[in-house]
Each structure stands twice: as structure tokens, then as C-alpha cells.
Amino acid sequence: FPTRRSSDLRVAAAVLRDTLFVFGVHQVGTDQNSAVVVQTSTLDGITWNRWEQVEPGTFFPEHEIGTTQPLYISATVFRDRIYIATPWKFTDSTGETRFYVAVNFSGDGENWSGWRQPESIHAYESGAPVGLAAVGNHLYIVSLQWDRSEFPDDTLVQVY
């Protein structure tokens, strides 16, 4: 994992069955629009596994041509699985940019289920970081919401 300025570092951590997993968003090469989700883990905090890409070769959204990159990462454990959530930036072949959230999970930190876009009653438009919270039988994905509906002059209001 190359050295980055601390203000650029995007990481999350979670513990599954006595193993500490650390996830990050890592820029690939010199292209500012090329990043992947990576992970490492440790049982004792001394010996670490090497950094590996989560689901190499997987891109979003499916069946569309363009560039896709993760922006931030969050992680939690829910029902004996580790979950990660990432806001993604997608630029299509016409240059139009949009944002979406994708979630992935694993029971062992090695075999991942595939990136999925959760259904939501709100459109995700901001590219802001997302958080994960497990409460009872539910896993919540939370993020800052920008509501422009009442402001025709595009003044933004934060809704939590």
C-alpha cells in the first residue's frame, strides 16, 4: 500500500472471528480516476497478510461502458459476515458522471458475494462517504443526503 497524505487515506476496519480486517481505497498507477478496494488482515496485529484487491476484475454498473472508481469505504460485521459499502463514481462514455452505493459481503474475508446496489427510496447523488450500522435484524447504510427540491436556485441543504 503506497504512502499517501493522511488527508487522502480512506480506510475502514472490522473484526470477524478474531481476525482484524482493514480495507482501503487504493489508486492504481498514475491515473487519478483509477482506484480499487483493497484489504489486508491479521490474527495477532504483528503478522499481516499482503494487500489484495476485493473482487478483482469486478466493475459497476453492469452492462455499461465507462470508468468506475470507489471513493470511500466503510465496514462492519453483521450475522457472522463482514460487510463493506462504498460510494462509487461512474463516468459514462459521453462524459456524464453519476454516483451510486455498492455493498459486498463475505463470511471469511476471502470469498466475496459480488458488488450489489441496494434499493433505496432516496437517490444517492452526492458522492459523500457512507456508513454501515447493524441494529437487531437490520443492516443500515447511512449517508449525507442533499435535498435540492425546495431550492430552485440550487442552494443545497444537508439532510441527516
Side-chain angles (χ1 to χ4, degrees), residues 98-118:
R98 62 183 184 270
F99 300 95
Y100 60 91
V101 174
V103 176
N104 207 332
F105 66 88
S106 173
D108 60 9
E110 293 179 22
N111 301 299
W112 292 91
S113 68
W115 291 105
R116 302 159 191 220
Q117 289 178 277

Side-chain angles (χ1 to χ4, degrees), residues 69-121:
Q69 68 172 354
L71 301 174
Y72 305 97
I73 185 82
S74 61
T76 195
V77 172
F78 176 62
R79 293 186 172 179
D80 295 323
R81 292 180 180 156
I82 197 161
Y83 283 81
I84 56 177
T86 308
W88 295 75
K89 177 182 175 184
F90 175 74
T91 305
D92 67 19
S93 57
T94 67
E96 181 181 338
T97 298
R98 62 183 184 270
F99 300 95
Y100 60 91
V101 174
V103 176
N104 207 332
F105 66 88
S106 173
D108 60 9
E110 293 179 22
N111 301 299
W112 292 91
S113 68
W115 291 105
R116 302 159 191 220
Q117 289 178 277
E119 292 183 22
S120 176
I121 59 172

Side-chain angles (χ1 to χ4, degrees), residues 19-119:
T19 300
L20 171 62
F21 290 89
V22 178
F23 300 90
V25 174
H26 173 64
Q27 183 178 322
V28 179
T30 58
D31 183 357
Q32 293 292 329
N33 295 316
S34 180
V36 295
V37 176
V38 294
Q39 72 172 35
T40 187
S41 61
T42 182
L43 284 168
D44 59 12
I46 298 169
T47 306
W48 289 82
N49 292 318
R50 67 183 196 146
W51 286 97
E52 300 269 340
Q53 183 178 346
V54 174
E55 298 261 72
T58 305
F59 300 99
F60 253 94
E62 295 181 50
H63 312 297
E64 293 196 51
I65 298 172
T67 60
T68 305
Q69 68 172 354
L71 301 174
Y72 305 97
I73 185 82
S74 61
T76 195
V77 172
F78 176 62
R79 293 186 172 179
D80 295 323
R81 292 180 180 156
I82 197 161
Y83 283 81
I84 56 177
T86 308
W88 295 75
K89 177 182 175 184
F90 175 74
T91 305
D92 67 19
S93 57
T94 67
E96 181 181 338
T97 298
R98 62 183 184 270
F99 300 95
Y100 60 91
V101 174
V103 176
N104 207 332
F105 66 88
S106 173
D108 60 9
E110 293 179 22
N111 301 299
W112 292 91
S113 68
W115 291 105
R116 302 159 191 220
Q117 289 178 277
E119 292 183 22

